Amino acid sequence: MALETRVWKSLLLATVAGAAILVQQAARAQLAPAADAAVSQRFDFDIPERPLARTLNDIGRITGLSIVFTQNAALSLNARPVRGSYTARQALDQALAGTGIDHRFTNARTVTIDPPPPAANASLPAGAIPLDTIEVSGESALGPVTGFVATRSAGATKTDTSLLETPQSISVIGRPEMEARQVQSLTQALQYAPSTNANNYGVSTVADSVTVRGFAPIQFLDGTFFANPANGSTARVEPYGLERIEVVRGPSSILYGAGVPGGMLNMISKRPTTEPLREVQTLVGSNGRVQGAFDLSGPANADKTVLYRLTGLARRSDSEIDYAKDDRVFIAPALTWRPTDATSITLLGQYLRDDNPNTQTVLPLAGTLSYNPYGKLPRSLYTGDAGFAKFDREQASIGYNFEHKFAENLIFRQNLRYQHFENVFRDIAPTALLADQRTMSRFAFRQNTLQDDFTVDNNLQASFATGMLQHTTLVGLDYRYTRRDVTQGFGAAPNIDLYAPDNRQSFAWPAFSAFTRQKQSQTGIYAQDQIRLGGFLLTAGLRHDWLSTENVDRQTGVGSTSNDAEFSGRVGLNYTFDFGLSPYVAFSRSFQPVTGTSLSGKAFDPSTGTQYEAGIKYQPPGWNALLTAAVYELTQANVLTPDPINAAFSIQTGEARIRGFELEARAEPIEGLSLIASYSYADSEITKANLTGGVDIVGNRFPFVPQHQAVGWIDYQFRHGAFAGLSLGGGVRYRSSVYGDQANLYQTPAVTLVDLAIRYDVGKAVPSLKGLEASLNVSNLFDKEYVNVCTSAAYCRYGDGRLVSAALKYRW
């Protein structure tokens, strides 16, 4: 579907505005030399005397630098100890002192280690062998995570910033963790993140239902809008195509515009690599799952200015629910072109198709959570109609990430993506369990959706000094447009006997009766400054958005339009001690458009969110670990609540509040051992509301928000001895009871689940099979049967039962 003229006008506006900013800032950069943040930022080191190569590797890991060894850089020598607080340049000077080896920064993130002069070469130990070029890359916020412990993130600041110095609670799930747990969905990927209630709706292949601090988070992919579940979007990401997932908790409107106060998901696709990467994988599992996947990447030419990556997956699978399927095809090509050292562009494409004749089931309270004289209803029971139900999803996107460095201290970026989404959804839903306690009344609905999303984000990052203050300043202009056409029909459906179900009954399909079109656009300008003075880092930002929403009946042409303008902001302060401790305080604000009108016909204002947060982050010197603790209070205002004059309409006097704290630890304390542990507490409360359905809900808890959550995962890889190559992992997930409705009438009990993982590097035992890995993963090891949620007496869902998967992966 072609984009409308207004989209291209806005793109032109964004590009022209970005160019104007560039010209102005580039001129200033010529007049005022800027300090390079990569060599002025201080880091904590505790590196003992060891071989030079290992020391340089540690420095690269801690600072995020790429360190390139050229020729025979005397790597058989030992480096001096590096202990204390140093800049990256000072740490390298300390490590190389007395070796006769020098270093030079070729750009802000790359260091070349030059070989010693001939005199120094002559003094090399006997047998020292000249080495080929080796590159040691520190972590990038857009790149792979080494192990389970990430150190950097871009989701909260749009700059490559240390997690230790980001005044916001963030969890990063990297590729190694996703592979260790063999995650098959975004829901599974987020099961070990704090304050994140994954899989709210239980067994389903429709969507990933997740809440972060009580709200369904807006999702971004590669810096561009992907999905907003709060608005009914069912676009779905394939985790095999992701390099990392960042759970950014708290309001993020300062950089992304409209969003919920609970948080957002920043997902990063797999990118082309400079070194060859080849992987194929086959997987079989529960419910007849058969899956194949491949991941191919590397340079396309000799000088590595063109890189490629092609990732794909296909599967056929049944489900725990009778008649349900979980079939998928996914392909993601990517291409990076670096015409110069200063310029790069990465093209990113994706195509995903799900063909599922049925997706979910809904059961009554009686027979699941409460007594039914006919017995307990099984988890596999399907209450729909297999001849009618259907869920087909097809989505495709194309976009790019562009970066140009005018100087080491002046970088322009543009992220752009267009996504098209089609969905055919037919199902039968329950209305009530009849008095005989076995017959359920139902209704049928059908919905076809066409959706187009377009996002472009232009920003300019400048690093400079004003007196004693070091600045990393970001200014940007972005635009987001969504057009969504929905065609719906509702009608009667025959009853079903839950204890003798007939899942193929004849009935008249409902005719389409509603034809709606919604267009939403958002244009925002934003500015952020990260100001450093000694151990202090102040992060402050301000944003202004212009929003337009248009709703139209496609048959009659009758509709309504609302226009809003909103400010949002954030301020946060960190202080980083030399021993790795970083306390912080922060305030942030968000907004979210609200569709509809009041009794008087006035369009609703956006709801707003505010959050106060304080926390502590700790990276023990010499340890690959990150420990975090945070306390917060967030409030959502302008919430819809029934109009006391006419309950068929709403007014914006509702308010909700969540207070809570989080503890998270990610660590690799010894060689081969990886740990994840977290605990979350959330005191949610509806603080203002009118009678809802005749019930006073003030003081009630939020639906889908457990008061307590605790998770732990341990993974150990044997690297020596008879068990070399064997990895054992396991986890425990606890969630306290949750309500499924605002009236707090339907509460599901607490649940504890156990997961297991076993991997074996076959090449350790059989060298000729180097690169072959076998794995076995079990989710819900003891097959705990539990009801995940009940939103009414007729609407309950079981959680996932035991899921087993066995995989073979080969890399070469």
Side-chain angles (χ1 to χ4, degrees), residues 508-554:
W509 287 17
F512 287 121
S513 56
F515 305 83
T516 60
R517 170 172 295 158
Q518 184 180 76
K519 300 178 184 178
Q520 287 186 317
S521 65
Q522 170 189 286
T523 303
I525 55 174
Y526 58 89
Q528 174 186 267
D529 200 3
Q530 295 168 278
I531 306 170
R532 185 183 303 278
L533 176 62
F536 287 101
L537 179 62
L538 177 69
T539 302
L542 189 65
R543 179 186 176 103
H544 189 267
D545 282 282
W546 295 267
L547 301 102
S548 176
T549 302
E550 179 184 353
N551 293 288
V552 178
D553 186 312
R554 302 199 321 270

Side-chain angles (χ1 to χ4, degrees), residues 463-639:
S463 301
F464 56 93
T466 56
M468 298 177 63
L469 303 179
Q470 302 289 332
H471 299 261
T472 299
T473 301
L474 188 75
V475 292
L477 184 152
D478 61 27
Y479 175 79
R480 190 165 88 211
Y481 174 79
T482 295
R483 170 173 166 163
R484 191 178 191 211
D485 289 352
V486 178
T487 305
Q488 291 179 315
F490 298 86
N495 295 345
I496 189 171
D497 185 339
L498 298 178
Y499 292 88
D502 180 358
N503 295 116
R504 292 185 182 273
Q505 302 184 49
S506 298
F507 66 98
W509 287 17
F512 287 121
S513 56
F515 305 83
T516 60
R517 170 172 295 158
Q518 184 180 76
K519 300 178 184 178
Q520 287 186 317
S521 65
Q522 170 189 286
T523 303
I525 55 174
Y526 58 89
Q528 174 186 267
D529 200 3
Q530 295 168 278
I531 306 170
R532 185 183 303 278
L533 176 62
F536 287 101
L537 179 62
L538 177 69
T539 302
L542 189 65
R543 179 186 176 103
H544 189 267
D545 282 282
W546 295 267
L547 301 102
S548 176
T549 302
E550 179 184 353
N551 293 288
V552 178
D553 186 312
R554 302 199 321 270
Q555 282 190 316
T556 65
V558 177
S560 61
T561 301
S562 62
N563 295 287
D564 297 293
E566 285 290 328
F567 278 100
S568 51
R570 172 180 62 184
V571 60
L573 181 65
N574 290 75
Y575 184 82
T576 304
F577 291 92
D578 292 342
F579 57 91
L581 187 69
S582 180
Y584 69 91
V585 292
F587 168 81
S588 52
R589 186 178 183 273
S590 68
F591 68 91
Q592 182 181 14
V594 178
T595 59
T597 60
S598 66
L599 178 61
S600 64
K602 179 181 179 298
F604 292 127
D605 294 328
S607 66
T608 58
T610 56
Q611 178 181 270
Y612 297 89
E613 180 174 315
I616 298 174
K617 302 183 180 186
Y618 181 48
Q619 278 185 332
W623 287 59
N624 187 18
L626 180 63
L627 314 177
T628 64
V631 295
Y632 66 91
E633 177 181 287
L634 67 83
T635 303
Q636 185 184 36
N638 285 352
V639 178

Side-chain angles (χ1 to χ4, degrees), residues 193-214:
S195 290
T196 303
N197 190 14
N199 202 16
N200 288 317
Y201 287 133
V203 181
S204 173
T205 59
V206 173
D208 296 294
S209 180
V210 177
T211 57
V212 176
R213 288 187 178 174

Side-chain angles (χ1 to χ4, degrees), residues 275-294:
E275 299 302 323
L277 181 154
R278 303 178 186 92
E279 174 183 295
V280 292
Q281 181 187 105
T282 182
L283 179 147
V284 295
S286 300
N287 308 309
R289 175 164 297 218
V290 178
Q291 178 175 295
F294 64 87

Side-chain angles (χ1 to χ4, degrees), residues 215 607-608 610 634-644 650-658 684-692 695-703 742-743:
F215 297 88
S607 66
T608 58
T610 56
L634 67 83
T635 303
Q636 185 184 36
N638 285 352
V639 178
L640 295 182
T641 188
D643 190 324
S650 297
I651 58 175
Q652 288 188 280
T653 58
E655 183 181 87
R657 185 200 67 214
I658 299 182
S684 62
E685 183 180 356
I686 299 171
T687 51
K688 293 181 182 179
N690 295 327
L691 293 179
T692 302
V695 178
D696 183 4
I697 64 172
V698 174
N700 285 359
R701 283 166 48 187
F702 276 29
Q742 289 188 336

Side-chain angles (χ1 to χ4, degrees), residues 319-434:
S319 169
E320 294 180 81
I321 304 169
D322 294 338
Y323 303 101
K325 299 286 186 181
D326 188 17
D327 298 344
R328 170 167 293 180
V329 173
F330 168 78
I331 188 79
L335 185 71
T336 294
W337 180 40
R338 296 174 177 169
T340 69
D341 290 340
T343 304
S344 70
I345 182 169
T346 298
L347 302 175
L348 297 162
Q350 282 195 6
Y351 173 81
L352 181 147
R353 181 176 179 87
D354 290 340
D355 296 307
N356 300 317
N358 170 47
T359 59
Q360 56 193 350
T361 195
V362 179
L363 302 171
L365 186 73
T368 53
L369 271 186
S370 64
Y371 171 75
N372 189 304
Y374 294 98
K376 193 172 183 64
L377 294 168
R379 187 164 47 198
S380 61
L381 176 63
Y382 176 47
T383 57
D385 192 282
F388 173 73
K390 185 181 185 67
F391 189 94
D392 286 353
R393 172 183 14 235
E394 188 171 21
Q395 61 191 52
S397 67
I398 185 70
Y400 63 78
N401 292 165
F402 172 79
E403 178 177 290
H404 178 71
K405 296 180 180 179
F406 289 89
E408 290 304 329
N409 60 308
L410 190 64
I411 306 172
F412 172 72
R413 301 184 184 93
Q414 184 180 77
N415 299 328
L416 179 148
R417 195 164 71 94
Y418 165 72
Q419 176 174 282
H420 178 72
F421 173 84
E422 296 185 15
N423 178 213
V424 176
F425 188 15
R426 300 194 301 264
D427 209 350
I428 291 182
T431 53
L433 181 66
L434 302 186

